[in-house]
Amino acid sequence: MLYTADFETTTDPEDCRVWAWAICEIGNPDNITIGNNMETFFEMLAKHGGDTFYFHNLKFDGEFIVSWCLNLGLAYTDDKELG
């Protein structure tokens, strides 16, 4: 399925975080999922393997995704082979 996605954030240096997120199935505006932190966003992603998400502003929202992954200890690699 195809979804649109967006984050609402605070950029306060003392409290910089995603405080709300939403996805909506493209072509089906009644299929909306919302959450209020990155943990629930990634839990939602795990349930939507193979789906495509288009972000309203990925250049900005992507910083929160990358930061979350790096803080979990995931590392960047150019190697595209799995396992």
Side-chain angles (χ1 to χ4, degrees):
M1 283 194 236
L2 302 176
Y3 293 89
T4 59
D6 194 26
F7 290 164
E8 296 301 325
T9 64
T10 173
T11 56
D12 177 341
E14 301 299 318
D15 186 27
C16 185
R17 62 188 168 87
V18 172
W19 61 267
W21 59 265
I23 65 165
C24 179
E25 182 184 354
I26 295 173
N28 184 5
D30 294 327
N31 186 8
I32 299 172
T33 303
I34 60 172
N36 63 3
N37 59 54
M38 290 299 288
E39 184 173 317
T40 59
F41 177 75
F42 277 91
E43 289 171 359
M44 176 278 304
L45 286 180
K47 296 176 184 175
H48 286 268
D51 291 340
T52 301
F53 296 86
Y54 294 98
F55 275 81
H56 166 70
N57 186 359
L58 185 58
K59 184 175 181 179
F60 182 82
D61 292 347
E63 291 286 333
F64 289 89
I65 294 170
V66 170
S67 177
W68 181 263
C69 290
L70 293 175
N71 285 328
L72 286 177
L74 301 176
Y76 172 80
T77 181
D78 283 329
D79 186 359
K80 295 182 181 179
E81 291 187 28
L82 299 175

